[in-house]
Each structure stands twice: as structure tokens, then as C-alpha cells.
Amino acid sequence: AVAGLKKELKSRVVRQQKKRVPRLAEEGEIAFEVAADPSIAQAWLSEAMSMKREWLKSTGRVSRAFMRPATAACLAEMAWTLARPAASPRMVVSRLSVNGRTAAIEMGFRHRESYHLYLGAFATEYARLGPGNVLTEHVLDWCAKNGLSRYDMLPPRSRNKGEWQSGEVAVLDFAMPLSAR
């Protein structure tokens, strides 16, 4: 259950979080928000896509999905319908800010008792302070307060996801040709 997840965290993660929050707070007032309507969700998603592209470039990574304008357009269109509080499934876009400036953004989907993380991005100026991890902790608290029992970080594996996980589900990839060639 999400409420108990923080009790299951590795001691190293707990120690790091106890350092991250005060360090980030030294930069200014920290605020956690969940987009209350589709227009706010769309604005934050646009900002998240820009941050994600900047991070991809700075680390030499490539993601055709996040570099294509069509992905941003698709997410914005989905937000218009799914970022409403009563939507099911619901797109949840959350933001961590420092003195009103975005430090990290996360977007996932709430479906039944689960939250499925899709996108996380952070401002490079705060990268050394771990704003994405601070935001994850806030989102976990939000999930617990909203009756969700599962926080699924989805594939692929990463070091960061491994630190937060309390379990793992095997996943298989399939390819389907679009033509006989």
C-alpha cells in the first residue's frame, strides 16, 4: 500500500531524503501542487516537456517520443479531457516549486486504486538538490491521502526507480510488424 511504502524504503533513501528537503528549502519556500484544471495541467506539461528535452540534450540521451512535437500535442490534448478531477482514468499533473519557480513536474494516471507514473522532469538549476525525489515523496503522500494503494513507476528500470521500489513486476516487450516486409 502507498501509505506503507515510505516505511519500506531503503535506509539510504530515507537518509538522502532527510538531507534533500532541507537543502531545497534553503533555496526558498517549497510548494507542492496538483493541477486543479486542464489549462494548468497543459501549461505544466508544456514546461515539463521543455525540461525533459533539455535534460536529454545535456546527458546525451535520445528519445524520439519526447523530442517529437506530436508527443507534446498528444499529452496536451489528453490533459484537456483527463486532467479534470472527476475524470477516470485521471491524468494527475503535479508540481514542486521553490519561491514560485518550477523545480520539478510529474505526470501520471490515476486509475482505480493505482497511480501510474508516466513523466518526470526537473529544472536543471535545482538538479543537485534532487527536486524530483522530493516531488516523488509529495506525490506518494498525495496518493495515500486520496485512497490509492499502488504507485507504479512503469518500465524501464532505472537506478532512481530501484531506490523507491517496494516490489517489481516482470514486463515483456512485443514487436508487431506493420507489413509483410
Side-chain angles (χ1 to χ4, degrees), residues 83-138:
R84 300 177 191 286
S88 182
R90 176 184 174 196
M91 178 188 279
V92 179
V93 184
S94 54
R95 176 179 177 252
L96 185 79
S97 61
V98 178
N99 287 335
R101 293 185 54 164
T102 300
I105 296 173
E106 179 172 312
M107 186 274 279
F109 296 94
R110 176 187 183 160
H111 184 61
R112 297 188 180 121
E113 291 81 36
S114 297
Y115 175 91
H116 305 279
L117 173 65
Y118 178 75
L119 169 67
F122 56 87
T124 55
E125 66 195 86
Y126 296 110
R128 63 182 170 66
L129 302 170
N133 289 301
V134 175
L135 178 55
T136 296
E137 187 170 2
H138 281 284

Side-chain angles (χ1 to χ4, degrees), residues 46-66:
S46 176
E47 189 175 7
M49 293 297 285
S50 294
M51 290 188 298
K52 192 71 162 185
R53 286 186 201 106
E54 184 178 325
W55 176 79
L56 287 166
K57 283 182 189 176
S58 71
T59 59
R61 290 183 170 92
V62 176
S63 170
R64 288 190 309 193
F66 287 114

Side-chain angles (χ1 to χ4, degrees), residues 66-80:
F66 287 114
M67 297 307 282
R68 292 184 65 207
T71 301
C74 177
L75 291 175
E77 183 70 26
M78 289 172 67
W80 188 250

